Structures are given as C-alpha cells and as structure tokens.
Amino acid sequence: MNKITFMGAGSTVFVRNVLGDCMCSDALKDWEYALYDIDATRLEESFEIISAMNETKGGHARITKHLGVENRKEALRGARFVVNAIQVGLYDPCTIIDFEVPKKYGLRQTIGDTLGIGGIMRALRTIPVMDDFARDMREVCPDALFLNYTNPMAMLSGYMQRYTGIETVGLCHSVQVCSEGLLKKLGMEDKLEGRRELIAGINHMGWLLELKDKDGNDLYPEVRRRALEKNESAMKDGAEKHDDMVRMDYIRRFGYYCTESSEHNSEYNMFYIKSKYPELIERYNIPLDEYPRRCVNQIAGWAKERDELKTGKHLDHQRTKEYASYIMESIVTNTPYEIGGNVLNKGGLIENLPQDACVEVPCLVNGMGVHPCHVGRLPVQCAAMNMTNINVQLLTIEAAVTHKKEHIYQAAMLDPHTGSELDMDTIVRMVDDLIETHGSWLPRYK
C-alpha cells in the first residue's frame, strides 16, 4: 500500500483539508495515511476525525497514528510523500516570546512567522527538528517528496533543499488566490474567467508580473488605476479603510501586486510600521499583534469545531485549492499539473536573485516530479524588494548551520523592519534576550 505521512497531524483543521483532499482523489483514496505528532491529545483527536471522515468517504484508506520521536521512523517508513505542518514551540510559549520580548525594545510586529525577528526565531527553533526528519527520511524513505507547509517557508524549504538531500517543495496557498482576490477587490470580477497570469519572486512576496484577460489584453493599466483610486478614497477623512492597503500601495510604489496579505507585507519592509511615524498604522490599516490574536481565537474556537467534527457535522469534505493532493495525484498518474512552488533558485530560475535563495516560481508537475520553470529577470525594483528579505533568509540559514550567534545578529540587523527601528547594540541585546527566554526551544549558539 502506498503511503502519505503527515508530520504535525495535531494541526487538525489542516490535516483534515490535505488528507480530505486526498480522499477525494481516486488515485490516492486507498493509500495509507500515517499521522505523526508529539502531542498525544491532538494526535488522537486528529486520528478520530480523519478515521470518521474516511468512513464517510467509503473507508478506502488505512489510517495509522504514530506518537512521539521514538515512533517517528515508523511513521515515515516507506512513505512516498511527506507533508510537513509542524509548529515548534506553539503559540504558548514561543509565539508569545517572539512578540513580547521585541516589544520591550520598541519593536512591533503583525504576524512574525515569515520574516522579521519573529520569523528568524521561528526558523532557528524549527530547522533542527526538520533536520531530524530529514535524517530519518534518508534512512527509511529516501525517495519521498517532502511537501513543506510550515513557515518561515523560504528559510525552512531553503535549508532542506541545500543541506539535506531530501527532495523538497515549499507550498503556500497565496499564489492560487492572488489574482482572483485582487480582481474581486477592484470590482473586476468579469475578468476572472480564462485569465492568464505570471507570478514569481519569493514566498509571501511573489510578484504578479503579468495579468491578462482571456483574450490576451493586459489588465494591469486598469488594475493600477483602480488600486490607486481605492486607496486614495480610503485615506480621506472619515472614510472606511479596507484590509489590503499595503499591497495596493505596492502597486503604486513598485508597479506590481504581490501574493501575500497586507498584514504580512506591512512588516517585510522599512516603510509602514515606524515608531517615528505612528500615524502610518492607522493610515494603512495595519493590525499590530495580529498573529497572537489569531492564535488565541483559533485555540478558543477549536474546542467547538472539534466537538462538531466528532459528532459528524463536518465529516464530509469538498476538495480545497491546497496544492498537496494535486501534486501527489499528478506524480502518481503522470498527469501534468502546474503549481507555484518554492524551490532552490538553481541555474538562475530568476536571474537577478541569488542561486542559494529559495524562490517561488511556476513549476510543472508530472510523473517525474516537480520541474521549476525559468522566469528570467524580475523588474529591478521587485528583485530589490525580494533581496531585502533574502538577505535575512540566507543569514538565518547560515546561523542554523554554523550555530554562530553573530549570524543571528546580522540577520536581525539586515532585516528591513528591525534595522530601520533599532540601533545595532539594541538589536544584539534583543537577540540575546530572545535566545535566553526561548531556553531549551533553541539550540546552543556560540
């Protein structure tokens, strides 16, 4: 029996979506789905829900559960695909630390899971765990494809791709909803059907480089006009704000829209969250401390959702837009499929970004695996914006590989938001404070 292993199966809503999608595929529905987690309660809840969903779908799959590090190899043994959705340190204590310690130094964040000091810390505590996964995979499933959903995407996928020998593609859901969301926000729904697009860059800052209607007409001139009008209207006194003002401002300032939300992108640069310009927070409708709020709400809402799932209210499943099941199906059936994937920039897929960078580009999937497509050069200003993030990503990976604390300092200093708010001595003190407060969640740095 073919096998899909899900690492971090306690992420019940996510495991339900990905494995529920697999149950909707004739090519994958009778496989073994191996659930792995280190939290016994969450693993058991996921096992019950996935098993019940499997019965609703006809009982074709075999569901197994594997608890703890001592059972990790067995969870991975013989897997053809490994899906990764772990969160090392969870909301409490680690996400709380990522937000509260920087606040003491005057540094505010919105999401903190991809870039900035929060993204750096999350990568440093997650890479050692993923390295352990890779070591086990080399022994028990060396040919498996590793599908990474965990953030910070570019740092974690980039580490796996450069240092482990495990075939890895990073997956996000921001690419497949990017142009649809933009056109709907701008009242251009009539252009959705048959549209053509090109998206490339890095995760959470992939650029919508081309957008054409079904007849090949360039939609960007009208997009730029409407985006400017939408933001200018929202900035008038007493006007109601909308939730995508930063990305609309990107269109004005840099010429292009990007993949991930405004709450994310507000902290990926030095422009919007500035203690010297507090009025920008209101002007651009920036939700500070957004991720901790989401975590609290998700935890509070989970008990209700869990009980409803157990009573069978949501045990049927409609296939989602998540790439994972479509990638597996494409490889198994040798049916071509296109994704936006996070892959190493090997051979210069994007010519004006470093080859060590993990980039997000169109990829063809078929029976031979994932094949990234050459994009060429990004507009200079888009590559420059990406580079401010790539600098942090590469230095964080370097810190994880060498265990040298100086590279953590350098990553934080070169982070556009951190470096624009704090002086270098304060950054060093903040990093030391974060390392000490995280304690055993972080490896030792010299």
Side-chain angles (χ1 to χ4, degrees):
M1 177 179 276
N2 281 310
K3 181 175 178 180
I4 301 163
T5 300
F6 198 106
M7 311 300 281
S11 175
T12 305
V13 176
F14 197 67
V15 75
R16 181 186 78 209
N17 283 343
V18 170
L19 294 184
D21 288 351
C22 293
M23 291 175 192
C24 294
S25 166
D26 287 339
L28 306 169
K29 66 184 182 183
D30 58 355
W31 285 35
E32 177 184 350
Y33 303 157
L35 311 180
Y36 171 80
D37 208 284
I38 59 172
D39 184 312
T41 302
R42 296 296 294 267
L43 178 63
E44 186 60 35
E45 289 169 352
S46 289
F47 177 74
E48 289 177 15
I49 289 162
I50 296 301
S51 296
M53 184 184 293
N54 183 45
E55 290 306 310
T56 302
K57 288 289 187 185
H60 301 284
R62 177 181 174 227
I63 317 298
T64 60
K65 59 182 175 180
H66 308 267
L67 175 64
V69 175
E70 64 274 17
N71 293 305
R72 188 171 62 206
K73 278 186 188 175
E74 203 50 44
L76 290 165
R77 191 177 306 280
R80 190 159 181 190
F81 302 102
V82 177
V83 181
N84 184 57
I86 62 173
Q87 185 181 353
V88 177
L90 301 175
Y91 164 67
D92 190 356
C94 286
T95 295
I96 294 173
I97 293 169
D98 287 345
F99 275 78
E100 292 305 313
V101 171
K103 269 188 202 175
K104 296 192 308 188
Y105 298 85
L107 188 66
R108 302 297 300 275
Q109 300 170 89
T110 55
I111 305 294
D113 73 347
T114 296
L115 205 73
I117 194 63
I120 292 168
M121 289 295 131
R122 183 179 279 230
L124 293 176
R125 63 179 180 262
T126 307
I127 284 174
V129 177
M130 289 177 59
D131 195 58
D132 289 342
F133 291 177
R135 186 178 63 247
D136 286 351
M137 288 178 68
R138 288 194 296 270
E139 182 179 335
V140 301
C141 58
D143 298 325
L145 174 62
F146 192 81
L147 306 172
N148 180 52
Y149 275 103
T150 298
N151 284 323
M153 177 61 64
M155 299 186 201
L156 303 183
S157 300
Y159 175 84
M160 292 290 288
Q161 289 152 355
R162 289 171 63 192
Y163 289 105
T164 67
I166 297 297
E167 186 182 359
T168 300
V169 61
L171 303 176
C172 183
H173 29 249
S174 60
V175 173
Q176 55 266 57
V177 300
C178 177
S179 63
E180 178 183 358
L182 174 63
L183 292 174
K184 285 180 176 178
K185 285 170 185 170
L186 296 179
M188 298 172 66
E189 291 91 343
D190 59 316
K191 304 299 183 184
L192 285 169
E193 188 176 351
R195 71 191 184 282
R196 306 168 197 175
E197 64 186 42
L198 173 62
I199 293 175
I202 59 173
N203 180 243
H204 286 189
M205 200 189 279
W207 300 99
L208 181 59
L209 298 169
E210 295 181 27
L211 182 60
K212 298 179 179 180
D213 68 14
K214 64 180 187 299
D215 299 317
N217 299 306
D218 185 4
L219 295 177
Y220 248 126
E222 183 64 11
V223 163
R224 292 186 178 109
R225 186 188 71 77
R226 293 195 187 201
L228 179 62
E229 185 180 87
K230 188 176 180 71
N231 262 16
E232 287 182 340
S233 296
M235 288 183 183
K236 290 177 181 174
D237 289 342
E240 185 178 349
K241 305 289 186 185
H242 63 87
D243 65 359
D244 204 20
M245 297 188 71
V246 168
R247 284 197 293 175
M248 297 291 177
D249 200 46
Y250 273 19
I251 297 176
R252 176 189 177 194
R253 309 288 186 178
F254 298 99
Y256 298 90
Y257 194 62
C258 81
T259 48
E260 189 47 81
S261 63
S262 282
E263 60 266 24
H264 273 278
N265 270 276
S266 62
E267 67 180 4
Y268 297 165
N269 53 64
M270 62 290 279
F271 308 126
Y272 302 103
I273 306 173
K274 302 181 77 67
S275 53
K276 278 192 173 182
Y277 301 89
E279 69 275 9
L280 294 175
I281 301 301
E282 183 180 356
R283 185 187 302 170
Y284 288 97
N285 198 22
I286 294 169
L288 294 172
D289 296 327
E290 172 67 12
Y291 187 64
R293 270 195 303 276
R294 288 183 189 178
C295 290
V296 170
N297 291 335
Q298 285 169 352
I299 292 166
W302 164 240
K304 179 184 176 185
E305 186 165 9
R306 175 196 61 208
D307 292 342
E308 288 181 349
L309 287 166
K310 285 183 176 180
T311 56
K313 287 189 179 177
H314 299 299
L315 288 175
D316 204 1
H317 182 80
Q318 300 297 316
R319 202 167 183 179
T320 72
K321 293 182 178 180
E322 296 291 356
Y323 281 139
S325 69
Y326 295 98
I327 292 171
M328 299 179 209
E329 185 178 71
S330 172
I331 291 172
V332 169
T333 64
N334 194 25
T335 304
Y337 183 71
E338 184 188 322
I339 66 167
N342 290 274
V343 295
L344 205 60
N345 194 29
K346 198 174 176 182
L349 302 167
I350 298 178
E351 293 171 4
N352 49 348
L353 295 181
Q355 295 205 24
D356 279 348
C358 179
V359 295
E360 195 166 66
V361 296
C363 301
L364 172 68
V365 187
N366 61 20
M368 295 299 289
V370 179
H371 311 279
C373 299
H374 178 265
V375 173
R377 296 178 64 83
L378 296 180
V380 175
Q381 71 276 17
C382 296
M385 281 285 281
N386 285 164
M387 276 307 306
T388 65
N389 286 223
I390 290 169
N391 292 332
V392 182
Q393 294 161 0
L394 295 183
L395 276 162
T396 303
I397 293 172
E398 195 70 14
V401 171
T402 64
H403 278 210
K404 289 183 179 178
K405 200 184 289 185
E406 66 199 67
H407 293 315
I408 310 177
Y409 299 149
Q410 292 157 355
M413 290 170 187
L414 287 167
D415 174 66
H417 175 44
T418 305
S420 70
E421 287 283 86
L422 306 180
D423 69 276
M424 288 191 283
D425 290 337
T426 303
I427 290 171
V428 168
R429 289 199 304 273
M430 179 181 67
V431 168
D432 286 342
D433 194 349
L434 279 160
I435 291 172
E436 183 178 351
T437 308
H438 275 295
S440 61
W441 288 106
L442 281 177
R444 302 296 295 174
Y445 283 89
K446 58 196 177 205

